[in-house]
Amino acid sequence: MRTQVGIIGAGPAGLMLANLLHRRGIEAVVIESRSRKEIEETVRAGVLEQMTVDLLNETGAGERMMKTAMFHQGIEIRFGGKRHRIDMHKLTGGKYIAIYPQHEVIKDLIAARLQSEGRIVFNVSDVRLSNIDTEAPVITYQNENGDTEELNCDFIAGCDGFHGPSRQSIPKEIRKEYEKVYPYGWLGILAEAPPSSPELVYAHHEDGFALVSTRTPEIQRLYLQVSPADSVGNWPDERIWEKLHLRLSADDGWKLTEGPIIQKNIVSMRSFICDPMQYGRLYLAGDAAHIVPPTGAKGLNLAMADVQRLAWALEDYYETGRIERLAGYSESCLRRVWKAERFSWYMTSLLHRHHGYTPFDYQIQLAELDHVTTSTAAAQSLAENYVGLPLEFGEPSLSVT
Ligand code: RFL
Ligand code: PHB
């Protein structure tokens, strides 16, 4: 089989890239190791930046989102029993975030892709990349019947997440990897209960971090800081509610709404960056190239930003033969990625309880929480990062005006 761009992975990055390329008249084939059902049911992210909302609308995949997403103009930061609202809309000149589950984004992108008669090959295995440093790279894989197939392409987009094979295809001596593993995990639950709060609540408590998010008017998404080595078996429902009540307690009578817990899982937290994000004719996008801890709600949004830039560069190549935008892909992505890494690290350090902290460190953390919730300048900085920094396509601006 032959195509212009071979895309490995049907996550948000791979599917959005396929849709963006289709709209630019560029042919692509997506290969995915899991089944359609599995990827449409995996619960992950919930917060979309306005840039991601705009992109879904631009590709014609935004209709269901516009009907059912919840659009929020602020978030709450809670500590010491007090509630503080960060008015992101006001602080950023009118920006908002949307709460719309990642698996719904996946369903919408798959539907848009299939409607445009684009190919997605599910259930592949044994994926290998070869000839990536030539003009004729090849992806070899086994299809679901066990037959070996070859995909000959002009370019490969490695959108196969943190554990996929694409990143490993960049020679070790060229790849520089930066990593930070945090001593925290998140226990995430879905509960059949109406929202406890009209906006997301990020709570710092001596006992640990807690987060109130939502999915639909009937389902809440809640998280608790736990040890990364902990297991779901140690968390019966009563213990989860007890900790959520404790960590989210507020001195104004705020109430957490409870309901049956329908799903529980624990994720560990890391920051990771691969530099460069490209080698030869291979371009990495999304979690294949970088991971952020979920506290800043940035992972899916960064994946969307990468593929927007990649589609822009590929369009220029196919229209004009110029390679400058492709050549600058990694450098221009990484500039924004590092800022999102910084923000995610900042939110993680600000909000979690770190048992290795000295009493001095802890007081500094409380002072930072106090500062960010009382200084307009500090709150504005948090807000502009949370809603998403601008995507710069031309020459980056060098000064603050
Ligand atoms: P994905 O989603 O991991 O998709 C990669 C796809 O590649 C497939 N694959 C392969 N396919 C073919 N051959 C192979 N050998 C393959 N190996 C793997 C996989 O099956 C998969 O389908 O990466 P992508 O597209 O880069 O998207 C990244 C996002 O999924 C991720 O960053 C977010 O979920 C992170 N995240 C959040 N991001 C946000 O922007 N906002 C949020 O509110 C937010 N909350 C979260 C999150 C991640 C979380 N967890 C579970 C880590 C909350 C949590 C709890
Ligand atoms: C979610 O709703 O899953 C969610 C919200 C905010 C975050 C991370 C995850 O920072």
Side-chain angles (χ1 to χ4, degrees):
M1 199 171 15
R2 200 193 131 73
T3 190
Q4 289 175 298
V5 182
I7 301 176
I8 309 178
L15 290 169
M16 176 54 86
L17 179 63
N19 281 306
L20 287 171
L21 293 178
H22 172 75
R23 296 182 81 79
R24 287 157 178 79
I26 301 168
E27 216 185 84
V29 172
V30 183
I31 61 162
E32 164 60 50
S33 54
R34 293 185 296 160
S35 68
R36 176 174 180 182
K37 184 170 180 324
E38 204 180 329
I39 62 171
E40 287 188 343
E41 285 177 358
T42 306
V43 175
R44 286 183 88 175
V47 176
L48 310 184
E49 292 174 4
Q50 194 169 330
M51 175 270 300
T52 299
V53 170
D54 293 345
L55 202 57
L56 282 159
N57 283 325
E58 184 200 315
T59 49
E63 202 180 313
R64 240 164 37 95
M65 170 188 66
M66 294 313 283
K67 282 197 196 124
T68 60
M70 286 166 263
F71 294 91
H72 289 184
Q73 302 193 347
I75 54 168
E76 186 181 316
I77 294 194
R78 190 174 293 186
F79 65 100
K82 300 266 183 270
R83 304 169 54 191
H84 307 267
R85 181 165 188 263
I86 308 277
D87 188 337
M88 296 180 310
H89 197 253
K90 196 161 119 202
L91 290 163
T92 62
K95 295 233 171 94
Y96 59 80
I97 52 156
I99 313 298
Y100 188 64
Q102 177 164 333
H103 62 275
E104 300 296 341
V105 172
I106 295 281
K107 283 184 201 163
D108 296 342
L109 287 171
I110 291 180
R113 174 81 184 143
L114 297 180
Q115 202 183 358
S116 61
E117 294 178 2
R119 278 203 72 184
I120 309 175
V121 188
F122 292 102
N123 298 311
V124 305
S125 55
D126 199 14
V127 174
R128 290 161 204 244
L129 296 80
S130 53
N131 298 351
I132 54 176
D133 51 356
T134 73
E135 289 188 356
V138 182
I139 306 171
T140 317
Y141 60 91
Q142 270 186 28
N143 65 20
E144 60 185 345
N145 305 319
D147 304 325
T148 300
E149 297 198 344
E150 248 185 24
L151 184 57
N152 297 285
C153 11
D154 298 336
F155 298 98
I156 298 177
C159 303
D160 45 0
F162 185 66
H163 301 287
S166 296
R167 187 176 64 254
Q168 314 298 339
S169 305
I170 301 181
K172 264 208 175 107
E173 58 280 13
I174 286 173
R175 218 179 338 134
K176 183 153 173 81
E177 297 186 340
Y178 301 85
E179 184 170 36
K180 180 175 175 68
V181 176
Y182 299 86
Y184 321 123
W186 276 17
L187 167 68
I189 64 160
L190 287 176
E192 281 175 340
S196 305
S197 158
E199 293 175 339
L200 268 60
V201 180
Y202 288 85
H204 167 86
H205 188 278
E206 253 194 285
D207 193 59
F209 168 75
L211 169 61
V212 180
S213 180
T214 182
R215 281 296 177 269
T216 67
E218 296 82 34
I219 296 186
Q220 278 189 96
R221 177 76 164 151
L222 299 149
Y223 294 99
L224 276 175
Q225 174 186 346
V226 297
S227 157
D230 213 335
S231 68
V232 166
N234 294 328
W235 288 89
D237 297 4
E238 312 74 62
R239 184 173 176 217
I240 294 177
W241 291 117
E242 185 201 317
K243 289 291 188 188
L244 283 168
H245 279 289
L246 172 69
R247 296 181 188 182
L248 290 160
S249 56
D251 59 10
D252 64 354
W254 181 89
K255 284 232 160 21
L256 175 68
T257 51
E258 286 191 30
I261 296 177
I262 52 173
Q263 205 191 85
K264 300 178 193 173
N265 69 329
I266 292 181
V267 294
S268 56
M269 297 173 78
R270 76 170 79 222
S271 299
F272 174 87
I273 290 201
C274 169
D275 181 357
M277 289 172 55
Q278 68 190 81
Y279 175 71
R281 291 252 170 156
L282 167 68
Y283 296 83
L284 304 179
D287 280 14
H290 40 72
I291 296 286
V292 284
T295 332
K298 286 279 158 272
L300 177 151
N301 293 297
L302 279 178
M304 295 294 188
D306 288 349
V307 295
Q308 203 171 345
R309 192 177 289 281
L310 187 53
W312 174 75
L314 286 167
E315 177 183 26
D316 194 45
Y317 170 81
Y318 280 113
E319 268 182 11
T320 67
R322 278 198 297 257
I323 56 136
E324 285 78 4
R325 288 182 184 174
L326 280 171
Y329 169 77
S330 174
E331 196 184 333
S332 44
C333 284
L334 284 175
R335 191 157 177 252
R336 188 170 180 278
V337 166
W338 271 113
K339 287 187 238 185
E341 288 283 355
R342 185 208 67 84
F343 177 66
S344 305
W345 159 84
Y346 168 76
M347 288 288 279
T348 303
S349 322
L350 178 72
L351 292 161
H352 288 75
R353 184 73 174 104
H354 195 303
H355 293 289
Y357 274 11
T358 62
F360 174 85
D361 298 331
Y362 188 46
Q363 291 305 319
I364 291 287
Q365 185 179 16
L366 294 178
E368 179 63 31
L369 280 161
D370 189 12
H371 180 56
V372 82
T373 50
T374 51
S375 151
T376 306
Q380 189 167 25
S381 169
L382 189 151
E384 79 173 2
N385 281 281
Y386 195 87
V387 300
L389 293 175
L391 261 180
E392 286 166 340
F393 280 102
E395 273 299 298
S397 55
L398 294 175
S399 59
V400 178
T401 47

